[in-house]
Amino acid sequence: MEKIIIFDTTLRDGEQAPGASLNPQQKLEIALQLEKLGVDIIEAGFPVSSPGDFKAVADISKNIKKSAVCGLARCLKPDILAAHNALKAAKKPRIHLFLATSKIHLQYKFKKAEGEILELAKKATKLARGLCDDIEFSPEDATRSERSFLFRIIETAIKEGARTINIPDTVGYSYPQEVFSLITDIRENVPNINKAVIATHCHDDLGMAVANSVSAILAGARQAHCTINGIGERAGNASLEEIVMVIKTRKDIFKDLYTGINTRELFRTSRLVSSLTNYAVPANKAIVGKNAFAHESGIHQDAMLKNRLTYEIMDPHDVGISASQLVLGKHSGRHAFKVKLSALGYKLTDKQLDKAFTRFKLVADKKKEIFDDDLRYIVEDQISQANLLWKLESFYTHSGTKVAPEATVILTKKGNPVKGVSAGDGPIDACFKAIDKVVGLKAKLEDFRLEAVTSGKDAMGHANLKLVIKGAVYSGGGSSTDIIEASILAYLNAVNKYAI
Ligand code: KIV
Ligand code: ZN
């Protein structure tokens, strides 16, 4: 059996999705879950890019025990030194160097000739290898690069000590047969290629990131770059859960291949990443979408009752999805609440548990039946709303067909209440404007979605939105049985990312 190494880049390329930015504490939380999931390498960030990214990579390096921790660097000395310093505490550090090799990048981005690029790659790999044993080299835009130059730069990087050669389809332009022949050509034409592991890194601009990744694997790549929920730059990266489940489910094709992923952690990891980045998972998303295992048509349901395999190619339990059951109500105690949360995989500190339990009781007072999904939102909200600068104290709105909508919102900053009053196009808009007045900012609402967490008239609502403040995008999420409150919490969640 041969292992496919899973290189997770949720915290680096995934975080490059507009508005998905995470603070160091949230990054650490995701990294710990990625380790639990069993990923081999966590690309924790791009240390030279900002003090926050440097801190995130350093914190993750200190706390991760089993997975390797990787920092990204351009082929520049300050980048390499920053990556090396950020990774100092890592048990298994890796520096990931990248340098574009396609004609279009050389001509317009660098204005450099091939010889100069080759020299840069050589020097950078040598420098990095002197600081760290484990070096990965990526010729950016490899799939649009001239083959002969690509072969030469790969050979140089390996000569200088790179152990992994990653082949990025940076702009998501390739299709599966092309990727297959590119990897085959690299294996046949780079003389020292057997000294390195070949990796694949595919973007989803044409919706083929996963297909291209598995095609690369069939051609001999043994490491896959991917992100949870497929989040990433533009249309995103290849989704980790899809690559892993393709390899597991299609044993007839991927005969001797396996990954070290504990697939039962997939759903939980997906939910955590979605709630901390505020990137909603589409209902029809493969593996982890709400409808991925839902059977609506009567014919399908009937056949499923006779034999599950008629319409289900995977067991939902294998990806960590359990049927939503009625679990708790307003009379449930703290112990039952704690036991249920640990069955759902949450390990909270006593303080977090107290806060989540208080919130649970408030929800249970308004909503008779509390389902697993309600509990997940209560806990995830509790985690993402903790330590906020601006908190919601109370709000009041009035609106109707013949009255102008108006809202009063009271926020607290370090315990001190501040009141804002505003009119608006509707009660939610009025609340948002009142918050803008309190915080003293001009925010543009770019995206706003509301969805019911579970079914029923008393279902909890979850709001997801994106704000543009001074040209930067901030996302936010919030849940409540009251959709106005859920919207306010989501707005505050995004505002707090700006205000910190
Ligand atoms: O898409 C890309 O080319 C990248 C590189 C940094 C590997 O993300
Ligand atoms: Zn990328």
Side-chain angles (χ1 to χ4, degrees):
M1 294 289 275
E2 256 192 285
K3 187 174 185 183
I4 299 300
I5 301 162
I6 297 295
F7 180 108
D8 179 278
T9 182
T10 306
L11 299 176
R12 200 278 297 168
D13 224 352
E15 206 216 7
Q16 285 175 218
S21 63
L22 296 160
N23 63 36
Q25 192 200 331
Q26 292 171 323
K27 279 191 155 195
L28 177 59
E29 202 179 323
I30 292 177
L32 291 168
Q33 178 60 29
L34 290 173
E35 181 166 54
K36 204 163 160 200
L37 178 67
V39 311
D40 300 287
I41 300 144
I42 298 170
E43 186 165 48
F46 188 3
V48 84
S49 68
S50 72
D53 240 34
F54 185 96
K55 181 173 165 27
V57 177
D59 288 352
I60 291 170
S61 297
K62 273 185 220 136
N63 288 282
I64 290 294
K65 295 178 184 72
K66 286 185 278 180
S67 314
V69 180
C70 176
L72 183 70
R74 288 168 298 182
C75 283
L76 300 173
K77 192 169 174 184
D79 286 44
I80 297 168
L81 296 182
H84 169 64
N85 288 330
L87 291 166
K88 269 202 174 125
K91 300 226 163 19
K92 296 186 217 163
R94 172 179 292 197
I95 297 179
H96 176 194
L97 298 171
F98 75 105
L99 183 61
T101 48
S102 63
K103 275 223 155 74
I104 187 160
H105 278 237
L106 261 58
Q107 191 177 342
Y108 293 101
K109 207 167 91 177
F110 295 133
K111 297 192 173 46
K112 282 193 195 308
E114 287 185 351
E116 294 172 274
I117 294 291
L118 216 52
E119 200 50 33
L120 267 177
K122 187 174 168 176
K123 279 198 182 138
T125 314
K126 192 173 182 161
L127 172 66
R129 185 65 172 79
L131 299 168
C132 177
D133 281 347
D134 188 359
I135 302 300
E136 173 159 347
F137 180 83
S138 289
E140 192 191 3
D141 208 13
T143 51
R144 293 194 302 166
S145 302
E146 294 258 315
R147 290 280 215 273
S148 59
F149 181 55
L150 188 63
F151 299 156
R152 272 167 67 210
I153 204 160
I154 294 174
E155 187 182 353
T156 306
I158 298 174
K159 247 189 214 149
E160 295 305 329
R163 279 201 210 159
T164 305
I165 296 295
N166 178 38
I167 305 300
D169 185 28
T170 303
V171 291
Y173 181 71
S174 297
Y175 64 92
Q177 287 90 333
E178 254 176 356
V179 171
F180 190 95
S181 71
L182 175 59
I183 302 292
T184 308
D185 281 358
I186 291 171
R187 293 182 72 196
E188 286 171 359
N189 291 286
V190 177
N192 54 2
I193 194 68
N194 57 354
K195 294 204 176 109
V197 172
I198 301 177
T200 171
H201 176 114
C202 298
H203 280 270
D204 209 29
D205 299 66
L206 291 173
M208 290 196 284
V210 171
N212 285 334
S213 305
V214 295
S215 190
I217 289 169
L218 289 174
R222 287 295 172 263
Q223 178 180 294
H225 282 215
C226 39
T227 63
I228 299 295
N229 300 334
I231 61 167
E233 189 85 41
R234 306 181 309 278
N237 288 57
S239 128
L240 181 148
E241 58 277 10
E242 293 175 27
I243 294 180
V244 167
M245 290 312 287
V246 170
I247 295 171
K248 186 176 163 89
T249 307
R250 293 304 304 268
K251 271 281 144 272
D252 53 332
I253 291 170
F254 299 89
K255 293 186 177 67
D256 304 323
L257 303 178
Y258 72 100
T259 70
I261 296 297
N262 173 4
T263 59
R264 293 194 172 219
E265 291 292 330
L266 284 172
F267 185 64
R268 186 173 307 141
T269 315
S270 160
R271 291 300 303 261
L272 180 69
V273 169
S274 168
S275 98
L276 293 182
T277 57
N278 294 303
Y279 257 68
V281 178
N284 63 339
K285 163 86 178 62
I287 317 295
V288 289
K290 201 170 170 180
N291 296 344
F293 294 93
H295 300 276
E296 180 70 23
S297 112
I299 297 171
H300 287 206
Q301 286 175 354
D302 181 56
M304 283 280 295
L305 289 173
K306 290 173 181 144
N307 185 338
R308 190 183 68 74
L309 298 178
T310 48
Y311 285 101
E312 223 165 58
I313 59 165
M314 293 168 277
D315 183 340
H317 290 102
D318 279 351
V319 302
I321 297 178
S322 54
S324 203
Q325 315 145 352
L326 176 62
V327 277
L328 302 173
K330 73 174 178 182
H331 300 298
S332 307
R334 198 174 182 281
H335 180 68
F337 181 69
K338 188 177 174 181
V339 170
K340 184 66 204 173
L341 288 190
S342 95
L344 290 174
Y346 293 103
K347 286 197 181 64
L348 302 190
T349 61
D350 281 349
K351 210 167 149 198
Q352 283 175 324
L353 189 75
D354 282 346
K355 283 190 175 163
F357 186 62
T358 309
R359 182 85 198 281
F360 158 73
K361 282 286 184 184
L362 288 173
V363 175
D365 255 347
K366 296 180 189 158
K367 186 178 189 312
K368 266 206 320 253
E369 305 170 328
I370 306 282
F371 297 91
D372 288 1
D373 269 345
D374 295 320
L375 285 172
R376 285 194 187 96
Y377 273 102
I378 290 171
V379 174
E380 284 160 14
D381 236 29
Q382 214 46 58
I383 295 169
S384 67
Q385 307 281 342
N387 306 320
L388 297 183
L389 184 64
W390 290 101
K391 291 189 176 159
L392 175 66
E393 170 81 24
S394 61
F395 73 94
Y396 168 80
T397 60
H398 79 143
S399 71
T401 43
K402 295 203 170 120
V403 280
E406 200 181 82
T408 303
V409 179
I410 300 178
L411 303 182
T412 58
K413 186 180 181 184
K414 295 185 183 149
N416 301 316
V418 192
K419 180 164 128 182
V421 181
S422 179
D425 292 339
I428 293 177
D429 181 52
C431 288
F432 291 172
K433 287 190 168 124
I435 294 174
D436 286 355
K437 279 190 184 169
V438 173
V439 181
L441 56 81
K442 262 204 165 120
K444 185 170 159 247
L445 185 64
E446 187 138 273
D447 192 13
F448 177 58
R449 282 155 220 248
L450 260 176
E451 61 166 353
V453 172
T454 49
S455 52
K457 280 187 182 158
D458 62 354
M460 282 230 294
H462 182 74
N464 236 300
L465 50 76
K466 287 195 174 60
L467 296 184
V468 181
I469 307 172
K470 293 190 180 156
V473 186
Y474 300 89
S475 55
S479 326
S480 169
T481 45
D482 178 327
I483 56 166
I484 299 181
E485 185 176 10
S487 308
I488 293 175
L489 292 174
Y491 199 85
L492 276 179
N493 193 217
V495 165
N496 274 292
K497 287 183 184 167
Y498 160 78
I500 280 167

